[in-house]
Amino acid sequence: MEPYSLYVGGRWVKESEALLNVYNPASGEHIAAVPTASRELVHESIETAYNAFPLWSRTPAAKRAQLLRAVAQKIRENADYLAQVLTSEQGKPFSEARGEIAISADYFEWNAEEAKRIYGETIPASVSNKRLLALRQPVGVVASITPWNFPASMIARKVAPALAAGCSVVIKPASATPLSALELARIFDEVGIPAGVINVVVGNAAVVASEILNNPKVRKISFTGSTEVGQNLMREAAADLKRLSLELGGHAPFIVMDDADLDLAVSGVIGSKYRNAGQTCICANRLYVQNGIYEEFGRRLAKAVEALRVGNGMEASVDVGPLIDEAALNKVERQVEDAVERGGRVMVGGSRPNLPLSGAFYLPTVVDRIPHDALVAREETFGPLLGMWGFDTDDEVVSMANNTPYGLAAYFYGKDFARVTRMYEALEYGIVGVNDPVPTVVQAPFGGVKHSGHGREGGHQGLDEYLDWKFVSIGL
Ligand code: NAP
């Protein structure tokens, strides 16, 4: 791979505090060394974003839209290469990486269209000698902090609306997966996004975050990652009252009713749970199956899970790649051990596979007969383990599904319309997939409630996050 540099003020920065080594999580192979930013460089990137803001925010929406469309087009032209980089640093199967790159382009295209529709309002005054206007203006410099599980699309779904709104951005990607971010920076540079409008700094999270939090020129932080870090950011951002969007952890329930199409529900569980080796914030974590179909559903699910092929994501036949690192694998193992110690039955999987690869692989696993206070019932797993429980009534399953501090995504499989309606209304989640395991699209609001955070990404709601209302009252 080509040598990488950071991107600040339209300049490629090679000077570094220390080099960050990037490894292929499937093979353990060293794939790149990336410079890391000092606090001074993070400061400079905020300064340059601040200086670029007036010009960018005044650039006509049609021109901003044109540049965003050019980004989308370049991403599509380079999709295979970008997906290869993504799989090599993150591990997910190439076909999934290709999908992530495709939706990344879509975020830019969709927001390019939406940039032209940031309408204000005229408001009828109560007196004849006043005119009232409400305008929408960009919030200013935005800091985007992103996780490793979607190294490209998490950036796209923050940066595209921020640029559409007229904001300038400093991106801090996850240290495990900085390459996709720097590849995107190359594209931003090539299409001619003006210098300073987008900056990418890789580096020690505490150092970067400290500068972001303490610099009053940053007016908004858009964060995707763990609930714990999100809580810290919220506490610390309070001093300067920065705006925040927090896309945090999840613990999704997946409910299968006795009238569900069982094969559809099985493939839904597979799609929701084992995509990205279980490392998505909206992955099913707890499977609730109505008792009338429990045994039959369990048999069909175990068979389908057993058929999944684990290995290097660059091999076309592989369905499930490695976990990001040993720590992630240890968490899955701890949850499986805990479930088994409490009487759980491993229906399928339950161990590391035998592979000639050094990565952190774990077999897709389903465990049932687990008490409701087991770790897998309470903690986000972020790996290919699914806990399964039976239930009798709708009220019972709603109460089990909502019994968590998280509230990102929930899934429900069934056919009865009235029941479906009652169920999606009762689930305390930001997203509900009804007979749909992949409810992520560019045009709809994605985000959670409770400990899964607040704010939305995608849809016009995602754009609203980067805009303030300004009320203008004109006396005549
Ligand atoms: P993480 O540890 O919170 O890291 C996320 C980002 O925050 C990384 O860039 C990380 O940098 C940075 N970071 C770490 N410590 C920080 C600090 N003290 N202050 C500021 N930034 C800090 O989360 P992760 O393990 O990468 O990602 C997995 C989590 O993200 C899961 O909980 C998942 O559910 C959640 N997630 C949520 C969504 C959503 O839309 N709701 C989407 C995807 C993932 P370093 O990499 O340098 O440590």
Side-chain angles (χ1 to χ4, degrees):
M1 268 177 202
E2 296 175 43
Y4 286 95
S5 306
L6 306 184
Y7 186 60
V8 175
R11 157 176 102 76
W12 293 100
V13 182
K14 288 195 176 11
E15 312 87 70
S16 173
E17 279 286 279
L19 284 177
L20 173 75
N21 290 311
V22 184
Y23 298 93
N24 181 323
S27 62
E29 179 198 352
H30 180 260
I31 48 175
V34 176
T36 58
S38 61
R39 178 142 182 183
E40 290 68 37
L41 188 65
V42 183
H43 181 86
E44 185 187 329
S45 69
I46 295 169
E47 204 61 31
T48 189
Y50 185 78
N51 293 335
F53 175 72
L55 188 63
W56 181 247
S57 56
R58 286 199 300 266
T59 300
K63 173 69 183 165
R64 290 203 305 272
Q66 190 191 339
L67 286 166
L68 290 183
R69 266 198 312 277
V71 171
Q73 191 182 337
K74 267 255 183 264
I75 291 176
R76 288 178 184 136
E77 282 165 14
N78 292 284
D80 280 341
Y81 171 71
L82 293 169
Q84 260 170 38
V85 171
L86 204 162
T87 291
S88 69
E89 68 173 346
Q90 201 276 341
K92 68 180 61 176
F94 180 74
S95 59
E96 287 185 26
R98 221 27 196 79
E100 182 177 341
I101 296 301
I103 199 169
S104 302
D106 293 347
Y107 280 117
F108 281 97
E109 184 173 297
W110 198 84
N111 281 285
E113 289 158 359
E114 213 58 14
K116 295 176 282 184
R117 302 187 186 105
I118 301 176
Y119 303 132
E121 294 175 3
T122 57
I123 303 161
S126 310
V127 289
S128 59
N129 63 343
K130 279 198 178 190
R131 298 293 179 270
L132 311 181
L133 309 177
L135 315 178
R136 301 176 79 204
Q137 295 194 317
V139 298
V141 175
V142 174
S144 295
I145 304 177
T146 55
W148 49 262
N149 61 342
F150 288 94
S153 64
M154 292 301 106
I155 290 175
R157 101 178 168 184
K158 295 177 187 308
V159 171
L163 296 193
C167 297
S168 51
V169 187
V170 174
I171 303 167
K172 185 249 172 275
S175 297
T177 56
L179 306 186
S180 297
L182 294 169
E183 294 291 350
L184 287 175
R186 256 201 263 273
I187 289 179
F188 300 143
D189 189 55
E190 278 169 20
V191 305
I193 305 269
V197 171
I198 305 184
N199 305 274
V200 183
V201 289
V202 177
N204 178 299
V207 172
V208 180
S210 176
E211 179 60 32
I212 287 171
L213 286 160
N214 290 297
N215 192 322
K217 290 179 176 164
V218 175
R219 291 319 314 150
K220 165 157 182 120
I221 300 175
S222 174
F223 172 76
T224 298
S226 60
T227 295
E228 194 188 355
V229 172
Q231 286 168 322
N232 270 338
L233 288 173
M234 189 160 174
R235 259 190 297 273
E236 304 211 6
D240 191 35
L241 288 172
K242 295 183 197 301
R243 273 183 73 171
L244 282 173
S245 300
L246 300 173
E247 296 285 348
L248 309 178
H251 197 243
F254 194 113
I255 300 166
V256 186
M257 292 296 190
D258 52 12
D259 67 338
D261 176 325
L262 294 198
D263 288 331
L264 196 69
V266 165
S267 75
V269 173
I270 300 284
S272 167
K273 174 72 250 184
Y274 301 105
R275 189 164 63 100
N276 203 2
Q279 303 170 114
T280 87
C281 51
I282 58 170
C283 272
N285 224 93
R286 297 167 287 148
L287 175 61
Y288 298 120
V289 180
Q290 200 154 19
N291 282 328
I293 55 163
Y294 187 91
E295 291 303 328
E296 176 58 20
F297 188 80
R299 261 192 301 279
R300 291 195 204 184
L301 177 64
K303 197 166 158 218
V305 172
E306 198 144 32
L308 293 172
R309 215 179 135 228
V310 180
N312 186 329
M314 284 311 291
E315 285 174 31
S317 59
V318 162
D319 304 298
V320 179
L323 290 156
I324 192 70
D325 57 23
E326 263 316 286
L329 180 58
N330 291 339
K331 185 175 188 192
V332 177
E333 287 185 323
R334 216 170 35 250
Q335 289 196 356
V336 173
E337 277 163 27
D338 171 75
V340 170
E341 272 166 25
R342 291 159 183 264
R345 164 179 73 161
V346 176
M347 294 167 63
V348 53
S351 63
R352 299 180 182 216
N354 222 340
L355 291 173
L357 290 164
S358 65
F361 291 94
Y362 199 81
L363 286 175
T365 299
V366 184
V367 182
D368 75 344
R369 301 183 186 160
I370 327 163
H372 289 285
D373 61 350
L375 290 178
V376 65
R378 292 185 285 120
E379 278 184 1
E380 181 180 40
T381 303
F382 236 57
L385 160 66
L386 184 65
M388 175 166 160
W389 291 265
F391 70 91
D392 287 315
T393 67
D394 295 11
D395 287 349
E396 183 191 359
V397 77
V398 166
S399 146
M400 292 194 295
N402 288 343
N403 185 21
T404 169
Y406 293 105
L408 188 57
Y411 304 88
F412 173 77
Y413 274 63
K415 289 190 192 131
D416 182 279
F417 180 73
R419 211 173 176 195
V420 163
T421 306
R422 280 195 298 272
M423 196 57 68
Y424 69 66
E425 286 177 356
L427 289 166
E428 294 165 359
Y429 289 82
I431 303 159
V432 181
V434 180
N435 301 320
D436 179 6
V438 196
T440 310
V441 291
V442 297
Q443 65 270 45
F446 183 105
V449 298
K450 294 157 70 181
H451 284 201
S452 293
H454 46 67
R456 292 293 179 269
E457 293 191 328
H460 67 84
Q461 297 87 345
L463 190 54
D464 292 345
E465 299 281 334
Y466 298 94
L467 293 162
D468 283 324
W469 282 103
K470 178 181 279 179
F471 170 50
V472 184
S473 178
I474 306 167
L476 301 178

